[in-house]
Amino acid sequence: MHTMTAPPAAGLTRGYAAEGDFLLAPPNPVDRLSSRRIDPKDQRRLDLHAALTAAGIPPSPGDSEAIERLSDLPVTVHEALHRWLKTLS
């Protein structure tokens, strides 16, 4: 089965793959990212993983529960944790 999108505007031939078919433009990355927001708790969890790793303390698999609980804490606690971890790196 051959599917075809909409025909191009008159006079445009750039991106044609074959007669009567054409390639779509790549998506705009800004449009793709704007529709996907990460939960603040998940962002804190990812930031904590990165901060620990940068400080030379890579989290082990057994640390996941502790990191999850730390991710529930307010932003001010995370700012202090990051400040402390930066002194190690």
Side-chain angles (χ1 to χ4, degrees):
M1 180 172 118
H2 177 70
T3 58
M4 186 171 155
T5 57
L12 295 179
T13 57
R14 181 174 171 235
Y16 267 86
E19 182 62 38
D21 200 5
F22 62 97
L23 303 174
L24 296 174
N28 183 352
V30 174
D31 294 339
R32 290 178 47 210
L33 294 177
S34 65
S35 65
R36 296 181 183 173
R37 299 284 181 212
I38 189 166
D39 185 77
K41 178 184 173 182
D42 291 334
Q43 184 64 53
R44 288 191 300 270
R45 181 179 47 80
L46 293 171
D47 290 345
L48 186 54
H49 270 277
L52 286 166
T53 303
I57 312 167
S60 64
D63 298 337
S64 60
E65 183 180 348
I67 290 173
E68 283 296 320
R69 290 188 183 230
L70 287 169
S71 300
D72 287 331
L73 297 174
V75 173
T76 55
V77 174
H78 280 269
E79 290 170 352
L81 284 171
H82 287 270
R83 192 171 52 251
W84 298 337
L85 290 170
K86 281 183 183 178
T87 62
L88 297 174
S89 56

